[in-house]
Amino acid sequence: MANLKEIRNRISSVSSTMQITSAMKMVSAAKLKKAQDAITAMRPYADKLTELLQSLSATLDADSGSKFAEQREVNKVLIVAITSNRGLCGAFNSNILKEINKLTNETYAGKEVSYLAVGKKSNDALSKTGNVIANKSEVFDNLTFDNVAEIAQMIMDKFVEGEFDKVELVYNKFKNAATQIVMTEQFLPIVAVEGEANVNLDYIFEPSKAEIVETLIPKSLKTQIFKAIRDSFASEHGARMTAMHKATDNATELRDQLKLTYNKARQAAITNEILEIVGGAEALNN
């Protein structure tokens, strides 16, 4: 059995760890509320904008399609990997990297695959084995639409210039604090709507329908990637809060077990001392 000093040191170490994980849990819980409110408020706008754009696009002639909807033979693929800058959030980052590995080795096997990292964890992992064209981890330092729009514009320009034939977004979609869903969305080219478009023909379009679509497409694409990063940001804090909650519970359980072990060892030591005293007294009497 370990000596008492060693057990006391372990109890102290576990207690310190428990305080750290508990503090991190509270910090993530506070940040989660703000991030959750932001993505919840944004989703209806982003979804309605996409729905409107797709409905209008479906009514346009084929020769008036956008340059962002150009379908080409897929030889060069860009995967936008959205992770976090920090760890201690369970399987949040590893799930994204697993999905990217699956896309690279299965879905796009034999294709030229490049990556754009949004988050230090994806940049650190992907730069070791693949071609990372840019690291945009700093966007989380000031997560605004304008900062994300610059990333989206860079991707859109590279697609138009023919550097990539297809662009995919891989990120965690926020469901609740305990659940994050790994999403793979086609960013470019724009996905065509199947079936008949649901557009009210009584609308009067000013300027023309084609001009409206050309204006909405860049805004819609920037909003799409902003929503994905917002989703990932909220998911990160949810995953970290859950991970730190479990870590705190585990540390509490371990501390209680160590205290029980310490008390047993202390009791055994006291019993041995008493036996030695009694034995020594009997020896003197004899």
Side-chain angles (χ1 to χ4, degrees), residues 79 99-109 168 170 184:
I79 298 177
E99 180 64 21
I100 291 173
N101 185 62
K102 181 179 178 182
L103 287 172
T104 303
N105 298 323
E106 297 179 17
T107 307
Y108 299 117
E168 298 269 23
V170 183
T184 300

Side-chain angles (χ1 to χ4, degrees), residues 29 37 102 139 151 176 194 203 205 213 221 261:
D37 290 344
K102 181 179 178 182
V139 73
I151 300 175
N176 53 53
E194 297 181 0
Y203 287 161
F205 297 98
V213 171
L221 290 171
T261 302

Side-chain angles (χ1 to χ4, degrees), residues 104-160:
T104 303
N105 298 323
E106 297 179 17
T107 307
Y108 299 117
K111 310 293 184 183
E112 183 181 338
V113 180
S114 301
Y115 309 99
L116 189 150
V118 181
K120 291 180 181 177
K121 293 299 179 180
S122 57
N123 180 65
D124 292 345
L126 297 174
S127 59
K128 296 177 181 177
T129 57
N131 175 33
V132 178
I133 65 168
N135 175 20
K136 298 297 182 179
S137 305
E138 70 282 355
V139 73
F140 290 112
D141 297 334
N142 185 20
L143 187 53
T144 63
F145 180 80
D146 289 339
N147 289 337
V148 175
E150 293 179 4
I151 300 175
Q153 188 63 55
M154 181 187 72
I155 298 172
M156 291 153 60
D157 291 342
K158 289 183 179 296
F159 177 80
V160 172

Side-chain angles (χ1 to χ4, degrees), residues 73-87:
E73 181 182 355
V74 179
N75 293 314
K76 295 176 289 185
V77 181
L78 176 66
I79 298 177
V80 181
I82 305 174
T83 58
S84 66
N85 285 341
R86 298 184 296 137

